[in-house]
Amino acid sequence: MTSLQYMSGFGNEFSSEDPRCPGSLPEGQNNPQVSPYGLYAEQLSGSAFTCPRPANKRSWLYRILPSVKHKPFTSVPCGDLTENWNEVEPDPNQLRWLPFTIPKATEKKVDFVAGLHTVCGAGDAKSRNGIGVHVYTCNTSMVDRCFNNSDGDFLIVPQQGEILITTEFGKMMVEPNEICVIQQGMCFSVDVFGETRGYILEVYGAHFELPDLGPIGANGLANPRDFLCPVAWYEDRKVPTGYTVINKYQGKLFACQQDFSPFNVVAWHGNYTPYKYNLKNFMVINCVAFDHADPSIFTVLTAKSTRPGVAIADFVIFPPRWGVADHTFRPPYYHRKTHPGGASLHSIMTPHGPDVDCFEKNSTAELKPERVAEGTMVNKQNIYMVNT
């Protein structure tokens, strides 16, 4: 397909209109009596109206038909998606999952929504405080179906196979070693190109933001300019047989029908958008003398809690980098805190760290400069749950 276009920046005030409809963005106001081309003006809010300006998130969408034009929602099966953490007894032991099996398309066609599997979580979508960790496995594209999450934001991490995500704001191609964030309330559909698998970190009641840099200074880690937001794209398509909108609400799935594509936004402006980021652009900060810095220096995005300095969830990576520390055991140290396609869980205050072979090898290794994690990328969703 034709190379997709993007706009650069994190949390910027963006504006975009499909070039097929020049002048479709109203000038000087958000909600004119009659919008250009007879479009409907619709605001999507990602925060309360009265939030302070730095935290106020909203975008104005100009669409062919308003999104309210749908039939009633009805409950549908949730499959392996859940937020009932009481289904299993608490277990403080270190847990590890083998790679989740991707169904063969010849045996059963599974799209992104049908292939969602919850691994773990904490908190509650109803109280707007907590997280869910999911895996998706799928082999077919979503056809005349889209997904909308009323509970929170999805941070999507492809592990196998690229995904083409169509949103109300435009299209994004997301490949392994990239991430994307679809924020609360945004409709999206996922196209795949074979057997596909990845991870999802969902947060309730907060949005992802860049971590504060403190003494690092003005630059470093994930730089704002490297985040990419889609440009406006629309389809004016009727679906007489019915288009299905699947909504995640209070941990359950609901579906409604409409007779048109929801991706009918001709133009939009605002600071509440989906976005993607290539992890190779992460500017690593590392120790150059001795000992380890804490893994928080590898934080790409954070979702802050109401408690200063404590996150609901951090998304952390361990990218390829130079290891040069002297007189130091270079692998991650043993600690207590909160495989490709697999997953592991280290519960709060359960000790974990390197295994025996790793310990013995690195306790006697010659400490010369070396490339660490070359040819691999470890994504670590560090989760700190705060009870409020």
Side-chain angles (χ1 to χ4, degrees):
M1 64 182 298
T2 305
S3 179
L4 298 177
Q5 301 296 312
Y6 300 95
M7 295 178 287
S8 168
F10 188 89
N12 293 18
E13 287 286 342
F14 295 104
S15 63
S16 182
E17 60 183 26
D18 192 302
R20 292 173 288 176
C21 295
S24 49
L25 270 177
E27 293 186 9
Q29 64 179 120
N30 295 321
N31 192 18
Q33 185 176 20
V34 179
S35 295
Y37 297 92
L39 300 172
Y40 292 84
E42 181 178 292
Q43 182 174 218
L44 176 61
S45 295
S47 64
F49 295 135
T50 52
C51 274
R53 280 185 180 264
N56 206 302
K57 306 294 183 184
R58 86 294 170 253
S59 286
W60 280 90
L61 313 178
Y62 301 91
R63 53 197 324 149
I64 296 169
L65 288 173
S67 57
V68 72
K69 193 176 182 296
H70 63 78
K71 295 180 179 179
F73 283 98
T74 57
S75 179
V76 296
C78 294
D80 294 325
L81 194 67
T82 184
E83 69 159 41
N84 183 2
W85 316 125
N86 294 323
E87 289 180 343
V88 295
E89 290 296 316
D91 184 355
N93 289 300
Q94 300 173 23
L95 302 176
R96 179 169 294 181
W97 289 261
L98 292 171
F100 284 70
T101 301
I102 306 173
K104 299 291 183 182
T106 54
E107 300 173 359
K108 183 181 180 181
K109 292 188 180 298
V110 178
D111 68 15
F112 176 85
V113 175
L116 290 172
H117 308 268
T118 300
V119 177
C120 59
D124 177 37
K126 295 178 183 178
S127 63
R128 312 291 301 123
N129 184 37
I131 60 97
V133 178
H134 318 283
V135 168
Y136 66 88
T137 58
C138 51
N139 55 37
T140 193
S141 299
M142 296 174 67
V143 178
D144 292 339
R145 280 159 54 94
C146 73
F147 188 74
N148 178 313
N149 188 357
S150 295
D151 290 340
D153 293 6
F154 266 7
L155 189 159
I156 302 174
V157 188
Q159 182 268 321
Q160 177 178 321
E162 60 188 4
I163 54 177
L164 174 63
I165 301 180
T166 301
T167 76
E168 295 169 280
F169 295 78
K171 293 175 176 280
M172 300 185 296
M173 183 70 79
V174 189
E175 303 176 358
N177 213 48
E178 293 184 318
I179 62 172
C180 74
V181 172
I182 310 294
Q183 303 197 74
Q184 180 186 11
M186 298 176 179
C187 288
F188 69 99
S189 182
V190 177
D191 286 353
V192 300
F193 307 92
E195 296 181 357
T196 305
R197 180 172 55 204
Y199 309 93
I200 298 173
L201 173 58
E202 179 183 17
V203 294
Y204 319 134
H207 296 301
F208 289 103
E209 54 188 279
L210 296 174
D212 295 325
L213 295 181
I216 292 175
N219 307 288
L221 307 186
N223 288 310
R225 65 174 294 187
D226 294 322
F227 287 82
L228 301 176
C229 168
V231 298
W233 176 90
Y234 76 93
E235 59 178 7
D236 185 4
R237 183 167 66 92
K238 290 288 187 179
V239 188
T241 55
Y243 195 105
T244 303
V245 178
I246 303 166
N247 178 235
K248 182 175 179 290
Y249 174 70
Q250 294 190 7
K252 304 295 185 180
L253 294 185
F254 299 84
C256 71
Q257 296 292 310
Q258 58 189 46
D259 62 359
F260 62 95
S261 167
F263 305 119
N264 63 356
V265 177
V266 177
W268 61 268
H269 75 86
N271 64 356
Y272 190 56
T273 73
Y275 54 88
K276 62 176 275 188
Y277 175 74
N278 193 321
L279 298 174
K280 74 177 183 181
N281 293 322
F282 188 79
M283 198 276 267
V284 180
I285 303 294
N286 206 2
C287 174
V288 296
F290 63 91
D291 277 354
H292 269 280
D294 291 327
S296 50
I297 63 167
F298 300 118
T299 301
V300 180
L301 292 170
T302 184
K304 293 180 178 178
S305 74
T306 56
R307 183 177 168 188
V310 180
I312 295 174
D314 290 324
F315 179 74
V316 178
I317 62 172
F318 296 139
R321 60 200 182 278
W322 282 100
V324 298
D326 284 330
H327 314 295
T328 298
F329 181 75
R330 289 180 179 175
Y333 46 77
Y334 295 99
H335 53 297
R336 287 178 286 173
K337 62 155 189 59
T338 182
H339 318 330
S344 63
L345 173 65
H346 305 136
S347 296
I348 185 170
M349 289 303 175
T350 294
H352 59 285
D355 58 26
V356 173
D357 289 343
C358 177
F359 178 82
E360 292 181 348
K361 176 182 176 182
N362 286 276
S363 295
T364 58
E366 180 184 357
L367 295 180
K368 57 185 179 181
E370 61 178 345
R371 290 288 287 172
V372 179
E374 192 68 53
T376 186
M377 176 75 76
V378 178
N379 299 318
K380 192 168 186 178
Q381 297 169 2
N382 280 341
I383 300 156
Y384 305 92
M385 182 60 207
V386 182
N387 295 318
T388 56

